[in-house]
Amino acid sequence: VVVTARPSWAKLQTLCEALSARPDVELQIVACASALLERYGRVVDVIKAQGFSIAAECWSVYEGENLLTSAKETGALLGDLAGVLRSLDAGVVVACADRHEVLAVAQAAAYLHLPLAHLQGGERTGSIDDRVRDSVSALATYHFTCTDLAKYRVYGLTGAADRIWNTGCGSIDLAKRALSAPPVTAEELGGAGADIDLTQPFGVLLQHPVTNEAVFARQQMWETIDGWPRDLQLLAWWPGQDAGADRISKALREEALHRPIHTVRNLPPNRFLKLLTQASVLVGNSSAGIREASWLGVPVVNIGMRQWARERGPNVIDVPHDALKIRQAIDQQIAHGRYPSSALYGSGNAGARIAEVLTRVCDRADTRQVG
Amino acid sequence: VVVTARPSWAKLQTLCEALSARPDVELQIVACASALLERYGRVVDVIKAQGFSIAAECWSVYEGENLLTSAKETGALLGDLAGVLRSLDAGVVVACADRHEVLAVAQAAAYLHLPLAHLQGGERTGSIDDRVRDSVSALATYHFTCTDLAKYRVYGLTGAADRIWNTGCGSIDLAKRALSAPPVTAEELGGAGADIDLTQPFGVLLQHPVTNEAVFARQQMWETIDGWPRDLQLLAWWPGQDAGADRISKALREEALHRPIHTVRNLPPNRFLKLLTQASVLVGNSSAGIREASWLGVPVVNIGMRQWARERGPNVIDVPHDALKIRQAIDQQIAHGRYPSSALYGSGNAGARIAEVLTRVCDRADTRQVG
Amino acid sequence: VVVTARPSWAKLQTLCEALSARPDVELQIVACASALLERYGRVVDVIKAQGFSIAAECWSVYEGENLLTSAKETGALLGDLAGVLRSLDAGVVVACADRHEVLAVAQAAAYLHLPLAHLQGGERTGSIDDRVRDSVSALATYHFTCTDLAKYRVYGLTGAADRIWNTGCGSIDLAKRALSAPPVTAEELGGAGADIDLTQPFGVLLQHPVTNEAVFARQQMWETIDGWPRDLQLLAWWPGQDAGADRISKALREEALHRPIHTVRNLPPNRFLKLLTQASVLVGNSSAGIREASWLGVPVVNIGMRQWARERGPNVIDVPHDALKIRQAIDQQIAHGRYPSSALYGSGNAGARIAEVLTRVCDRADTRQVG
Amino acid sequence: VVVTARPSWAKLQTLCEALSARPDVELQIVACASALLERYGRVVDVIKAQGFSIAAECWSVYEGENLLTSAKETGALLGDLAGVLRSLDAGVVVACADRHEVLAVAQAAAYLHLPLAHLQGGERTGSIDDRVRDSVSALATYHFTCTDLAKYRVYGLTGAADRIWNTGCGSIDLAKRALSAPPVTAEELGGAGADIDLTQPFGVLLQHPVTNEAVFARQQMWETIDGWPRDLQLLAWWPGQDAGADRISKALREEALHRPIHTVRNLPPNRFLKLLTQASVLVGNSSAGIREASWLGVPVVNIGMRQWARERGPNVIDVPHDALKIRQAIDQQIAHGRYPSSALYGSGNAGARIAEVLTRVCDRADTRQVG
């Protein structure tokens, strides 16, 4: 199982739990790219803290976060990871989602003639990620999709009718668990900037840069904060690793001079999901607003094009990068309150199902090939 | 236009001629990977000899030709090429076919937000190349296919109905020209090993290693040479760059101790096509037997699985790696003689049509993007 | 001229000015590594603002700043830079100092058979940099040292008596110029944190992490700030790029909660030098305290081992990482005030002399070699 | 112990034997670069056949063998090897000699703060290798030289009086053993080309390309073969991996059309040394002619500049690349016959002595450092 970024672990965690519980499976986790970096919350430490061991690390992220470094770091990861997969003698490689690093994982597996199990194929977000995701699907052997529509798309891409399973998304497994956990407290949350009182109404802001709108990232952030109701506490996440992240961080720092903003860098995925159930509204362009929030019934204001093509439940209001419209949508969602749960992205048992299928097909196949 | 290997140039040459003839287009050719290596005929020298200049070179091929080095060299090429494309300030990137290096070209273009025009998408050969080719299609912006069926497949893959054109294959353009050229002579052919008399019946042997049958490559070569009729002159090509090439080369050297074999390393593509029209039969697993030979009407004995899924014309007899069946098929083809020309892979004007479409769509689009 | 980091430009600027003033020299500047990164002040923008153009960029810095990424980024730079130097058709390559990237520059030049002119060879700082610096000297062709002792060391290393010149350091050229410039104002200085009044006594703190003491970096910073006199304004620089920089940055952020600290990320080298002449004392472990400050006569408190082996003038008091001793030394230097100027590291005409020698030896030699 | 090329193993074998015989040492062998390639005799298979296991492999050699690929492959090896050394948790790294890959090994160790033990430092051959070798010495911690003069040179380079030992060369250990082995037979020798009768007088030709004379490599080979006496059997080795090797191979193939040449690709080092004692003369520019042959007393005709600066015993006649002078020198050596043994490069116990010193200093030092 190759973990290349923090968000992926939320989709892979219950699968890893299910795999490590099986006596007939040897689970090896490889941590790569931003999963190793403090700036992105070093999810590798989260993984270890959950009792997993890390079989190997691949450092590959270049500083600079521009289009050129994206290419260079993917190249570096491909070379490194191929060596690691070879030395680990993997039988099947599991990767998740659509970031450019994932294509390196898929290539490393394909060129080494190792079967690749890909999670989250066939989805649409409307960005360059779609092309990368489809490109990964084209290289993958086994496909575990999160929605029915995604399953049909992967079938259209690959024609591999007997190697596609719609198991739902592992992140819904975590959302299900999160419901029964105790609420997140301000102490647990940590972070910096203005104080926050989680017992009073607050909104969560999670706005990532959009790869091909990197130059506008700063301005888009200004619109959002400008549109944020004055009387709603603002809890903002630092952006992930992508072209434009620096610009968003700058905008956050500048705006924090003008209104109280509590900023957070990281929270374990399960606690983040619990926090969402405490929030009045989730604002931004995070996939969590589309996926987990639909199951959790959290009201969401989704801004801009980043998620435009993604399937969504009834809990989402879409608005452009326009302060006024963002304001209206936030007000509307606060007025509405919680939504009923939707099973669009799974029903909370994805990890177990994927583990079961994977073990079965790998038993059947002679997965190691000559060369 | 990125040339990554000798065979690609045959598909790109007439396009480059058409592009360089246009005053509104600045053509930059980048030579990469095996296109630079003497062992594979340094097609970069052929390109220069035809009057083109080379804008940049990317050395990336690792020695060893195994699965691991395939991955490593793709990673190295991706990093290098991204830097080169950035410094050349390309408006659109053209790449061809399905080798693992081509995926590096596609990634470099996609991550830099440069539109990629891909030639030869949507075909099927039944090997891992299919997955790489589809993966490239998933990343590409404009698609120029060689057959109608390939066009439908790319449509299935990408849904990009208005960005796919079936223009036929540039190699057929060259095949058309080759017909009117003077015959290849033994002097021009060069090579080593046994003498060859091109005015007497001879067969051409072109057998590449198959990526996932690398360990059998030597044995497969033995079968073929064993099946070759004693009274038919044998003109063999050294294999291209792939896992298993060393094994095929060894088999060729060993067999040359037992029967006369004339071996050749390289010939300009146009002269190779002319040579095919002089041959009694083409034997092996080369795509030339499927593509150009169908247009030229050359009788072909296609051995093994390498081309099994490719669309073919009536000039091809398929046989397994079995000396006896190879013998029978060669005899049958010699008895049959030339076939009528088939337009399955184009009608000889692909280069001009692709250049025309490409110029038009790039004019229309603001091809340079922000970031 | 290859610029790999911000501090190097201070040594290379007057040389580049002198080279670009010569009609018989074509100057090409390549910006690499941290010279391109915003986190390190993007000296490449400073260079452009001074009217120079950048011939090529090499992005190579990995995120993570640990020992492993140092190795990986040097490897990446070596491969990239070799391609760039080849495509620029350089006649002689100029590099400066002793960071691990500089060894990549030296290797790229040596393996391409290009003569390398190395500045600042033969010095001693007492860290692993010494080994890297000597390793670069071993690969270099022409050596321009900053002190007489360094010249003798390079002679001991290379035996190349006729290819070593003690020209002094280019940073002294800038120090000479800085004297006549107008004082730095708070507006010009910029930065963040506590307010600062540059017309009142202030000290400058510049403390870099020490490569093989990375784990202590945070603790060492605490000692320094603890020892800083309460009534002396504290103007601190963010640390450069090295293992441990993150730890120092953390300490700075934490300490800023307890006492007023004005923090600055970057200032053009010439303005930084002017600022030094305005400061009561320079504290930390920067080479500027040893080199430029000796010529400027600025009182310096040098902490710890980073500069222990460097030749120094009478303006330096050395102390260990001990708050009390740091306090005493700062008090002593404030009481003493300015020192007379020392010519230990040059007399302010290094750039012109190096340019003159370099042009002469390159004329004489056929610098381009076969291969 | 990092083995980067076939010739290095001859110097490292007895050390590895001595280390693996010690209960207090865990020996890990890493095979890199050309040590893995069939074209260079895959010394990694020889090592395994001698009962050693390989802890890790690093594939890094680029095809093309030019100046640019030398730089690129060194960069690739540096990045890869750093990851491997980190994952092997090495306590001390041992490397040998002066090829460009060895500098990558030295950098990987130095940047990871691992002590490097370097064998064969301080020698002189008069080529760019001298600069690389000195550059490695500058990075190394422990130095094991082969001659007294080399010891003084390393002392001049590093000043590290207490970390330099003149133990002699491990290759002399093997030469000593070879004396008592049975003679090499034609069957054992293998190879291709003309037949050879080892019971009749024969000469051994071992001519490597010289890095900065790569374009002349072919012509130089012609001179040598032209000067070879008609009545002396010619036993030629294919050249190693370096810029120009392709040219030498071509010359060998062409000349084999004009006179009988028996060509050999590889022989275990110990058998090669035995073979030398059977030969009438060793011709070419191999270091074996200078090192082992001096101890064995084999007459040597050393051609050209490759070894000009190396210390040599009385058994060597030096000639330029001139057919006539080569002929005269070969005749003179055949007339002279065997020479008495010289201890210039050691007395046959280097491996044991290095193992003993290394174990002692590593016990004393806390070799693992923080970071």
Side-chain angles (χ1 to χ4, degrees):
Chain A
V1 176
V2 183
V3 184
T4 58
R6 191 164 59 93
S8 299
W9 180 241
K11 280 91 183 180
L12 292 165
Q13 180 188 335
T14 58
L15 168 60
C16 287
E17 290 169 1
L19 288 172
S20 66
R22 298 187 73 105
D24 53 346
V25 171
E26 185 196 354
L27 170 65
Q28 291 179 316
I29 298 179
V30 178
C32 298
S34 69
L36 295 168
L37 296 177
E38 238 169 291
R39 196 148 66 93
Y40 307 105
R42 267 189 70 83
V43 72
V44 67
D45 291 338
V46 174
I47 298 173
K48 286 180 190 165
Q50 291 176 356
F52 296 100
S53 62
I54 302 295
E57 298 182 347
C58 291
W59 293 79
S60 60
V61 181
Y62 276 62
E63 282 214 24
E65 289 186 59
N66 55 40
L67 302 178
L68 181 59
T69 56
S70 291
K72 285 191 170 289
E73 68 197 28
T74 308
L77 181 57
L78 169 51
D80 241 37
L81 190 61
V84 163
L85 292 180
R86 166 62 62 99
S87 74
L88 292 180
D89 197 24
V92 60
V93 179
V94 179
C96 178
D98 51 32
R99 293 175 53 87
H100 59 260
E101 309 95 44
V102 181
L103 188 45
V105 181
Q107 283 172 285
Y111 295 172
L112 293 175
H113 292 193
L114 293 170
L116 175 78
H118 182 227
L119 279 55
Q120 268 193 279
E123 302 190 13
R124 282 293 174 273
T125 51
S127 70
I128 190 182
D129 293 344
D130 286 348
R131 291 200 272 155
V132 175
R133 192 187 307 106
D134 287 356
S135 188
V136 171
S137 287
L139 293 174
T141 312
Y142 306 116
H143 310 267
F144 298 95
T145 67
C146 299
T147 75
D148 275 329
L149 187 51
K151 179 178 170 177
Y152 298 134
R153 278 212 201 86
V154 173
Y155 176 62
L157 274 164
T158 65
D162 57 341
R163 292 184 278 108
I164 313 174
W165 296 265
N166 176 21
T167 54
C169 181
S171 65
I172 306 300
D173 301 12
L174 295 182
K176 194 175 180 182
R177 280 193 207 166
L179 279 189
S180 53
V184 175
T185 62
E187 292 73 41
E188 183 187 354
L189 182 63
D195 287 342
I196 188 147
D197 179 350
L198 295 184
T199 66
Q200 296 300 312
F202 67 94
V204 171
L205 171 57
L206 199 54
Q207 188 161 328
H208 298 287
V210 178
T211 312
N212 50 13
E213 301 174 4
V215 291
F216 306 121
R218 200 164 166 186
Q219 174 194 336
Q220 292 173 350
M221 197 49 157
W222 289 333
E223 292 285 341
T224 303
I225 299 180
D226 204 30
W228 198 275
R230 280 279 142 188
D231 54 351
L232 181 68
Q233 297 182 91
L234 201 176
L235 174 53
W237 248 255
W238 293 107
Q241 162 206 20
D242 265 308
D246 274 357
R247 291 190 175 93
I248 285 195
S249 298
K250 266 190 189 163
L252 265 178
R253 280 195 208 96
E254 288 160 1
E255 288 300 306
L257 304 175
H258 306 127
R259 69 151 290 157
I261 301 180
H262 186 80
T263 53
V264 179
R265 204 163 283 278
N266 196 18
L267 199 66
N270 58 327
R271 301 307 289 156
F272 173 71
L273 294 171
K274 183 66 193 182
L275 183 74
L276 285 190
T277 66
Q278 301 168 240
S280 305
V281 64
L282 169 63
V283 179
N285 58 10
S286 164
S287 63
I290 311 290
R291 304 174 87 84
E292 292 92 334
S294 80
W295 198 86
L296 294 170
V298 176
V300 168
V301 174
N302 181 64
I303 307 175
M305 301 298 283
R306 190 164 180 260
Q307 307 291 348
W308 76 270
R310 226 187 258 274
E311 294 178 79
R312 59 199 64 195
N315 66 315
V316 178
I317 299 180
D318 285 283
V319 291
H321 289 286
D322 175 309
L324 185 62
K325 292 191 172 135
I326 291 168
R327 170 81 50 97
Q328 290 168 342
I330 293 176
D331 290 343
Q332 188 181 336
Q333 288 289 38
I334 289 174
H336 180 287
R338 295 286 289 274
Y339 288 78
S341 175
S342 153
L344 176 61
Y345 282 98
S347 46
N349 60 349
R353 289 182 61 197
I354 297 172
E356 191 272 325
V357 172
L358 213 48
T359 312
R360 184 157 41 82
V361 295
C362 289
D363 267 5
R364 227 172 37 203
D366 178 13
T367 61
R368 233 68 58 86
Q369 291 171 41
V370 297
Chain B
V1 176
V2 183
V3 183
T4 57
R6 192 163 59 93
S8 300
W9 180 241
K11 279 92 183 180
L12 292 165
Q13 180 188 335
T14 58
L15 169 60
C16 287
E17 289 169 2
L19 288 172
S20 65
R22 298 187 74 106
D24 53 346
V25 172
E26 185 196 355
L27 170 66
Q28 292 179 316
I29 299 178
V30 178
C32 298
S34 70
L36 296 167
L37 297 178
E38 237 167 294
R39 195 148 67 93
Y40 307 105
R42 268 188 68 84
V43 72
V44 66
D45 292 337
V46 174
I47 298 173
K48 286 180 190 164
Q50 292 176 356
F52 296 100
S53 62
I54 301 296
E57 297 183 346
C58 291
W59 293 79
S60 60
V61 180
Y62 276 62
E63 282 215 21
E65 290 186 58
N66 54 40
L67 302 177
L68 181 58
T69 57
S70 290
K72 285 192 170 286
E73 66 197 29
T74 308
L77 181 57
L78 170 51
D80 240 37
L81 191 61
V84 163
L85 291 180
R86 167 61 63 99
S87 74
L88 292 180
D89 196 24
V92 60
V93 178
V94 179
C96 177
D98 52 32
R99 293 176 53 87
H100 58 260
E101 308 96 45
V102 180
L103 189 44
V105 181
Q107 282 173 285
Y111 295 172
L112 293 175
H113 292 194
L114 293 171
L116 175 76
H118 182 227
L119 279 56
Q120 267 193 283
E123 301 190 14
R124 282 292 173 274
T125 50
S127 71
I128 191 182
D129 294 344
D130 286 348
R131 291 201 272 156
V132 175
R133 191 187 306 107
D134 287 357
S135 189
V136 171
S137 286
L139 292 173
T141 312
Y142 306 117
H143 310 266
F144 298 95
T145 65
C146 299
T147 74
D148 275 328
L149 186 52
K151 179 177 171 177
Y152 298 133
R153 281 214 200 84
V154 173
Y155 175 62
L157 274 164
T158 65
D162 57 341
R163 292 185 276 105
I164 314 173
W165 296 266
N166 177 19
T167 53
C169 183
S171 65
I172 306 301
D173 302 12
L174 294 182
K176 194 175 180 181
R177 278 192 207 167
L179 280 190
S180 53
V184 175
T185 62
E187 293 70 41
E188 182 186 355
L189 183 63
D195 288 341
I196 188 148
D197 179 351
L198 296 182
T199 65
Q200 296 301 313
F202 67 95
V204 171
L205 171 57
L206 199 55
Q207 188 161 328
H208 299 288
V210 178
T211 313
N212 49 14
E213 301 176 4
V215 291
F216 307 120
R218 199 163 165 187
Q219 174 195 335
Q220 292 174 349
M221 197 47 155
W222 289 333
E223 291 286 341
T224 303
I225 298 179
D226 203 30
W228 198 276
R230 280 279 143 188
D231 54 350
L232 181 68
Q233 298 183 91
L234 201 176
L235 174 53
W237 248 255
W238 293 105
Q241 163 206 20
D242 266 307
D246 273 358
R247 292 190 175 93
I248 284 195
S249 298
K250 265 190 192 165
L252 264 179
R253 278 195 209 97
E254 289 160 0
E255 287 301 306
L257 305 175
H258 306 127
R259 67 153 290 155
I261 301 180
H262 186 82
T263 54
V264 178
R265 203 162 284 277
N266 197 19
L267 199 66
N270 58 328
R271 301 307 288 155
F272 173 70
L273 294 172
K274 183 66 194 182
L275 183 73
L276 285 190
T277 66
Q278 300 168 240
S280 305
V281 63
L282 169 62
V283 179
N285 58 9
S286 165
S287 63
I290 311 292
R291 303 173 88 84
E292 293 92 335
S294 80
W295 198 86
L296 293 169
V298 175
V300 168
V301 174
N302 181 64
I303 307 176
M305 303 297 284
R306 189 162 181 260
Q307 309 290 348
W308 75 270
R310 227 186 257 275
E311 294 178 78
R312 57 200 66 195
N315 65 314
V316 177
I317 299 180
D318 286 284
V319 292
H321 289 286
D322 177 309
L324 184 62
K325 291 191 172 136
I326 291 168
R327 169 80 51 95
Q328 291 168 340
I330 293 176
D331 289 343
Q332 187 181 338
Q333 288 290 37
I334 289 174
H336 181 285
R338 296 288 288 275
Y339 288 80
S341 176
S342 153
L344 177 61
Y345 282 98
S347 46
N349 60 349
R353 288 182 61 195
I354 298 172
E356 192 272 325
V357 171
L358 213 49
T359 312
R360 183 157 42 82
V361 295
C362 289
D363 266 4
R364 224 169 42 199
D366 177 11
T367 61
R368 233 66 58 88
Q369 292 170 41
V370 297
Chain C
V1 175
V2 183
V3 183
T4 58
R6 191 164 59 93
S8 299
W9 179 241
K11 278 92 183 180
L12 292 165
Q13 180 188 334
T14 57
L15 169 60
C16 287
E17 290 170 1
L19 287 173
S20 65
R22 299 186 73 106
D24 52 348
V25 172
E26 185 196 355
L27 171 66
Q28 292 179 316
I29 299 179
V30 178
C32 297
S34 69
L36 295 168
L37 296 177
E38 237 168 292
R39 196 148 67 93
Y40 306 106
R42 268 189 68 83
V43 72
V44 66
D45 292 337
V46 174
I47 298 173
K48 286 180 189 164
Q50 291 175 356
F52 296 101
S53 61
I54 302 296
E57 297 183 346
C58 290
W59 294 78
S60 60
V61 180
Y62 275 63
E63 282 214 24
E65 290 187 58
N66 54 40
L67 302 178
L68 182 59
T69 56
S70 290
K72 284 190 171 289
E73 67 198 28
T74 307
L77 180 57
L78 170 52
D80 241 37
L81 190 62
V84 163
L85 292 180
R86 166 62 62 100
S87 74
L88 292 179
D89 197 24
V92 60
V93 178
V94 179
C96 177
D98 51 33
R99 292 177 54 85
H100 59 260
E101 309 96 45
V102 181
L103 188 45
V105 181
Q107 283 172 285
Y111 295 173
L112 292 175
H113 291 194
L114 293 170
L116 175 77
H118 182 228
L119 278 57
Q120 268 193 282
E123 302 190 12
R124 281 293 174 275
T125 51
S127 70
I128 190 183
D129 295 344
D130 286 348
R131 290 201 272 155
V132 175
R133 191 188 307 106
D134 287 356
S135 189
V136 171
S137 287
L139 292 173
T141 312
Y142 306 116
H143 310 266
F144 298 95
T145 66
C146 299
T147 73
D148 274 329
L149 186 52
K151 180 177 170 177
Y152 298 133
R153 280 212 200 86
V154 173
Y155 175 61
L157 274 164
T158 66
D162 56 341
R163 292 184 277 106
I164 314 173
W165 295 266
N166 177 21
T167 54
C169 182
S171 64
I172 305 301
D173 303 11
L174 295 181
K176 193 175 180 182
R177 280 192 207 166
L179 279 190
S180 53
V184 175
T185 63
E187 293 71 41
E188 182 186 354
L189 182 63
D195 287 342
I196 188 148
D197 179 350
L198 296 183
T199 64
Q200 295 300 313
F202 67 94
V204 171
L205 170 57
L206 199 55
Q207 188 160 329
H208 299 287
V210 177
T211 312
N212 49 13
E213 300 175 3
V215 291
F216 308 119
R218 199 163 166 185
Q219 174 195 336
Q220 292 173 348
M221 196 48 155
W222 289 332
E223 292 285 341
T224 303
I225 298 179
D226 203 31
W228 197 274
R230 280 280 141 187
D231 53 351
L232 181 67
Q233 297 182 91
L234 201 176
L235 174 52
W237 248 255
W238 293 106
Q241 163 207 17
D242 265 307
D246 274 356
R247 291 190 175 94
I248 284 195
S249 299
K250 266 191 191 163
L252 264 178
R253 279 194 209 96
E254 289 160 1
E255 288 299 306
L257 305 174
H258 307 128
R259 68 153 292 157
I261 301 180
H262 185 81
T263 54
V264 178
R265 205 163 281 280
N266 197 18
L267 199 66
N270 58 328
R271 301 307 289 155
F272 173 70
L273 293 172
K274 183 66 194 185
L275 184 74
L276 285 190
T277 65
Q278 300 168 241
S280 304
V281 63
L282 169 62
V283 180
N285 58 10
S286 164
S287 63
I290 311 291
R291 304 174 86 83
E292 293 93 335
S294 79
W295 197 87
L296 293 169
V298 175
V300 168
V301 174
N302 182 65
I303 308 175
M305 302 298 283
R306 190 164 181 260
Q307 308 291 348
W308 75 271
R310 228 186 256 275
E311 294 178 77
R312 58 201 65 196
N315 65 315
V316 178
I317 299 180
D318 285 284
V319 292
H321 290 286
D322 177 308
L324 184 63
K325 292 190 173 136
I326 291 169
R327 169 80 51 97
Q328 291 169 339
I330 293 178
D331 289 343
Q332 187 182 338
Q333 288 290 37
I334 289 174
H336 180 286
R338 296 288 288 275
Y339 288 79
S341 176
S342 152
L344 176 60
Y345 281 98
S347 46
N349 60 349
R353 287 181 62 197
I354 298 172
E356 192 271 325
V357 171
L358 213 47
T359 312
R360 184 157 41 82
V361 294
C362 290
D363 267 5
R364 225 170 41 200
D366 178 11
T367 62
R368 233 67 58 86
Q369 291 171 40
V370 297
Chain D
V1 176
V2 183
V3 183
T4 58
R6 192 163 60 92
S8 299
W9 180 241
K11 278 92 183 181
L12 292 164
Q13 181 188 334
T14 58
L15 168 60
C16 288
E17 289 170 0
L19 288 172
S20 65
R22 298 186 74 105
D24 52 347
V25 171
E26 184 195 355
L27 170 66
Q28 291 180 316
I29 299 179
V30 178
C32 298
S34 70
L36 296 167
L37 297 177
E38 237 167 293
R39 196 149 66 93
Y40 306 106
R42 269 189 67 83
V43 72
V44 67
D45 292 337
V46 174
I47 298 173
K48 287 179 189 165
Q50 292 175 355
F52 296 101
S53 61
I54 302 296
E57 297 183 347
C58 291
W59 293 79
S60 60
V61 180
Y62 275 61
E63 283 214 23
E65 290 187 58
N66 54 40
L67 302 177
L68 181 59
T69 56
S70 290
K72 285 192 170 288
E73 66 196 29
T74 307
L77 181 57
L78 170 51
D80 241 36
L81 190 62
V84 163
L85 291 180
R86 167 60 63 101
S87 74
L88 292 180
D89 196 25
V92 60
V93 178
V94 179
C96 177
D98 51 32
R99 293 177 53 88
H100 59 260
E101 309 97 43
V102 180
L103 188 45
V105 180
Q107 282 173 286
Y111 295 174
L112 293 175
H113 292 193
L114 293 170
L116 176 76
H118 182 228
L119 279 56
Q120 268 194 283
E123 302 191 13
R124 283 292 174 273
T125 51
S127 71
I128 191 182
D129 294 344
D130 286 347
R131 291 200 271 156
V132 175
R133 192 187 308 107
D134 287 357
S135 188
V136 171
S137 287
L139 292 173
T141 312
Y142 306 116
H143 309 267
F144 298 95
T145 66
C146 299
T147 73
D148 275 328
L149 185 52
K151 180 177 171 179
Y152 298 134
R153 279 213 200 86
V154 173
Y155 176 62
L157 274 164
T158 66
D162 56 342
R163 293 185 276 105
I164 313 172
W165 296 266
N166 177 21
T167 54
C169 182
S171 64
I172 306 300
D173 301 12
L174 295 181
K176 194 176 181 181
R177 279 192 208 169
L179 280 190
S180 53
V184 175
T185 63
E187 293 70 42
E188 182 186 355
L189 182 64
D195 287 341
I196 189 149
D197 180 350
L198 297 182
T199 65
Q200 295 301 314
F202 66 94
V204 171
L205 171 57
L206 200 53
Q207 188 160 329
H208 299 288
V210 178
T211 312
N212 50 13
E213 301 175 5
V215 291
F216 307 120
R218 199 164 166 186
Q219 174 195 333
Q220 292 173 349
M221 196 48 154
W222 288 334
E223 291 285 342
T224 303
I225 299 180
D226 203 30
W228 197 276
R230 280 279 142 187
D231 54 351
L232 182 69
Q233 297 183 89
L234 201 176
L235 174 52
W237 248 255
W238 293 105
Q241 163 206 19
D242 266 307
D246 274 356
R247 291 190 176 94
I248 284 195
S249 299
K250 266 192 190 163
L252 264 178
R253 279 195 208 94
E254 289 160 0
E255 287 301 306
L257 304 174
H258 306 128
R259 69 153 288 155
I261 301 181
H262 186 81
T263 55
V264 178
R265 203 163 284 279
N266 197 19
L267 199 65
N270 58 327
R271 301 307 288 155
F272 173 70
L273 293 172
K274 183 66 193 183
L275 183 73
L276 286 190
T277 66
Q278 301 168 240
S280 304
V281 64
L282 169 62
V283 179
N285 58 10
S286 164
S287 63
I290 311 292
R291 302 175 87 85
E292 293 92 337
S294 80
W295 197 87
L296 293 169
V298 175
V300 168
V301 173
N302 182 65
I303 307 176
M305 303 297 285
R306 189 162 180 261
Q307 308 291 349
W308 75 269
R310 227 187 257 276
E311 294 177 76
R312 59 200 65 196
N315 65 315
V316 178
I317 299 180
D318 286 283
V319 291
H321 288 287
D322 177 308
L324 185 62
K325 291 192 172 133
I326 292 168
R327 169 81 51 96
Q328 290 168 341
I330 294 177
D331 289 343
Q332 187 182 337
Q333 288 289 37
I334 289 174
H336 181 287
R338 296 288 289 277
Y339 288 80
S341 176
S342 152
L344 176 61
Y345 282 97
S347 46
N349 61 348
R353 289 181 61 196
I354 298 172
E356 192 272 325
V357 172
L358 212 48
T359 312
R360 184 157 42 82
V361 293
C362 289
D363 266 4
R364 226 170 39 202
D366 177 13
T367 62
R368 233 67 57 86
Q369 292 170 42
V370 298

